[in-house]
Amino acid sequence: MSLQGDGIGDWVREVAKQANKLVIVSPFFSVNTDMTNLIKGISDLQIFVGDEFSTNNPWKIKELSEVASADVRCIYKENLDGRRLHAKVFYAEETSGRCQALVGSANFTVSGLTSNKEQAVSFDSNDEADSLIIDQIKQWIDKLENSARYIDWEQAEKQYESSRRNFERRPDKEFENEVEESPSAVYHLIKPEAQRHWVLKTRAGSLGPSQWEYFVKEKVISVGWEDIVCDLSEEGIKPSEYSLDVLESSCKKHLGSNNRSLKHAAKSIYWFSREFSKQDRVIICDGYPASQKKDVHLYGLAIIKDYAYDHSESSWWRLKCSAEIKVIDMDIPKEVFTSTLNNQSMLHTIHEISKDNYDRFLYRIREF
């Protein structure tokens, strides 16, 4: 038994790589392409989600339900005596017979696995003291399965679309007209439909200089770690070919194997080079700790126009995506960030957020 804390996403990834059976119990479910592809390959996959389809994107969940090995169901509150599913449990089996489980606060979402402050306890059947708990978790999953129903996709899709329309109608008609009639305004960045939504810092570390002026001048967004990017370029590895293993190896070389920021650096470079896509929306700002009281500087917004590339002749950072940039350059109360983006702190270089949170953030900054 061990406490995972900030390593929850790493634990899930490593366990999933070895699993032939994986059970995910998560009220909210939203993962990136890399994790989706990983769990798709598991021969026996069970997913139980909550019935909040105003938030859970049914199309993304349906994609997994169509994989031959996947059994995807919903725990509707009427099947739990009017109570909603709130438990977060991951359970995995290997062909060797080894079983592992994780019980804690983290939903199976990008923020739950990577950026939120979560805690969870892991159990391993190789530890004799954990075997009894593993058996109890298996029994609990069996009981939960009896309460699960296959998803009414039509109803789920209606709930999701209705929720989005209700949110978009929340601003008054004047705001709707403003979006339609002022394509150069900040708010046009809501449309057309984005692939994914991100928050990006412009600084190297917490105290390094901001690269915002270069973003604007070259119409790009970028991340640093120049020595790592340079080494990979010299080895003939393109950004589209970066893997987490290659990046972690390079990060160990430059940062040291015990550096606390090693995995963060590898993940940030990976997300930027492999996960950022055309039409993705990006909020560009300074990071902030949970204890910060002062306002947070919002530099601007961006729409990604092309994938990451290595501009070897650059006088500053080399790993870039071309982008349409909307300059804002103003200080925004930290409360606007925390209440709309659901991040009490934002110290990592890259955070993924939901479309609803992105929309709420744009609506709130109209006040300023």
Side-chain angles (χ1 to χ4, degrees):
M1 178 174 66
S2 62
L3 190 66
Q4 295 302 321
D6 294 336
I8 290 174
D10 294 331
W11 184 94
V12 170
R13 185 183 300 278
E14 292 306 311
V15 170
K17 285 180 181 178
Q18 307 300 321
N20 68 296
K21 177 176 181 177
L22 180 66
V23 181
I24 301 169
V25 181
S26 179
F28 296 101
F29 187 96
S30 176
V31 292
N32 59 22
T33 304
D34 183 51
M35 185 62 77
T36 299
N37 290 338
L38 176 61
I39 64 176
K40 272 183 179 180
I42 295 172
S43 59
D44 185 355
L45 175 65
Q46 279 189 297
I47 299 173
F48 301 102
V49 300
D51 60 358
E52 284 285 356
F53 289 106
S54 56
T55 303
N56 284 332
N57 186 326
W59 284 279
K60 290 184 178 180
I61 298 173
K62 190 174 184 180
E63 179 186 346
L64 281 168
S65 75
E66 293 170 349
V67 177
S69 62
D71 176 11
V72 181
R73 304 190 215 177
C74 178
I75 307 297
Y76 291 93
K77 65 178 182 179
E78 55 264 33
N79 296 105
L80 291 179
D81 300 323
R83 295 172 294 173
R84 289 196 184 279
L85 177 68
H86 196 260
K88 296 91 175 174
V89 177
F90 311 113
Y91 169 79
E93 293 180 0
E94 299 177 15
T95 53
S96 64
R98 180 188 185 187
C99 302
Q100 296 185 76
L102 187 80
V103 180
S105 65
N107 281 293
F108 207 78
T109 62
V110 172
S111 57
L113 297 178
T114 61
S115 61
N116 286 353
K117 194 68 176 176
E118 309 279 2
Q119 288 291 349
V121 178
S122 63
F123 303 91
D124 190 332
S125 64
N126 283 349
D127 184 339
E128 187 175 347
D130 287 356
S131 296
L132 178 60
I133 300 296
I134 291 279
D135 288 340
Q136 292 175 339
I137 290 171
K138 289 167 65 175
Q139 293 171 19
W140 179 84
I141 290 172
D142 289 341
K143 290 180 180 178
L144 188 71
E145 186 174 357
N146 293 331
S147 301
R149 287 168 40 196
Y150 289 105
I151 297 170
D152 182 335
W153 295 112
E154 183 178 357
Q155 187 61 37
E157 289 164 9
K158 285 180 180 178
Q159 183 182 353
Y160 184 74
E161 282 301 313
S162 174
S163 173
R164 288 179 57 194
R165 282 196 298 271
N166 289 340
F167 174 76
E168 289 164 0
R169 289 171 181 163
R170 198 178 305 163
D172 56 23
K173 186 65 179 176
E174 178 183 353
F175 172 63
E176 293 180 359
N177 290 340
E178 193 173 36
V179 172
E180 295 296 333
E181 295 173 9
S182 304
S184 62
V186 170
Y187 317 113
H188 88 287
L189 294 176
I190 296 175
K191 303 179 180 181
E193 188 71 10
Q195 301 288 329
R196 293 163 77 175
H197 302 76
W198 309 89
V199 180
L200 177 69
K201 286 170 50 180
T202 66
R203 298 181 185 276
S206 58
L207 300 176
S210 170
Q211 305 298 318
W212 172 244
E213 62 177 305
Y214 292 110
F215 285 23
V216 176
K217 182 179 179 180
E218 294 186 19
K219 297 181 180 178
V220 297
I221 58 175
S222 181
V223 293
W225 293 287
E226 284 303 277
D227 44 6
I228 295 168
V229 175
C230 183
D231 273 10
L232 295 176
S233 178
E234 290 177 357
E235 293 173 22
I237 302 175
K238 301 176 182 178
S240 60
E241 299 169 346
Y242 289 174
S243 69
L244 276 173
D245 289 341
V246 167
L247 289 168
E248 286 188 7
S249 176
S250 184
C251 288
K252 286 179 183 177
K253 173 183 174 182
H254 290 280
L255 302 176
S257 58
N258 295 322
N259 192 300
R260 292 171 57 188
S261 65
L262 186 154
K263 289 188 178 295
H264 157 61
K267 286 178 183 177
S268 295
I269 299 170
Y270 180 86
W271 283 345
F272 188 87
S273 59
R274 299 288 298 273
E275 297 287 337
F276 277 38
S277 300
K278 293 180 180 179
Q279 294 300 318
D280 281 8
R281 270 48 172 178
V282 185
I283 297 168
I284 304 165
C285 64
D286 275 340
Y288 56 85
S291 59
Q292 179 170 315
K293 304 297 183 184
K294 67 178 182 179
D295 294 348
V296 177
H297 193 75
L298 174 64
Y299 292 97
L301 306 172
I303 302 176
I304 297 176
K305 307 303 287 184
D306 210 348
Y307 301 106
Y309 60 95
D310 174 15
H311 191 348
S312 299
E313 301 302 317
S314 176
S315 61
W316 54 295
W317 295 344
R318 299 168 57 157
L319 190 59
K320 307 174 184 178
C321 288
S322 60
E324 178 184 351
I325 303 287
K326 177 65 183 179
V327 177
I328 298 178
D329 263 341
M330 66 170 62
D331 290 332
I332 302 292
K334 181 193 169 191
E335 178 274 336
V336 174
F337 286 81
T338 58
S339 64
T340 60
L341 304 183
N342 290 335
N343 277 327
Q344 295 304 309
S345 65
M346 198 172 294
L347 297 179
H348 289 176
T349 302
I350 298 172
H351 296 260
E352 184 171 10
I353 59 174
S354 69
K355 180 185 186 302
D356 285 349
N357 288 348
Y358 177 85
D359 288 352
R360 289 187 179 95
F361 180 80
L362 261 62
Y363 181 58
R364 284 292 307 276
I365 66 173
R366 292 179 67 227
E367 303 169 14
F368 307 96

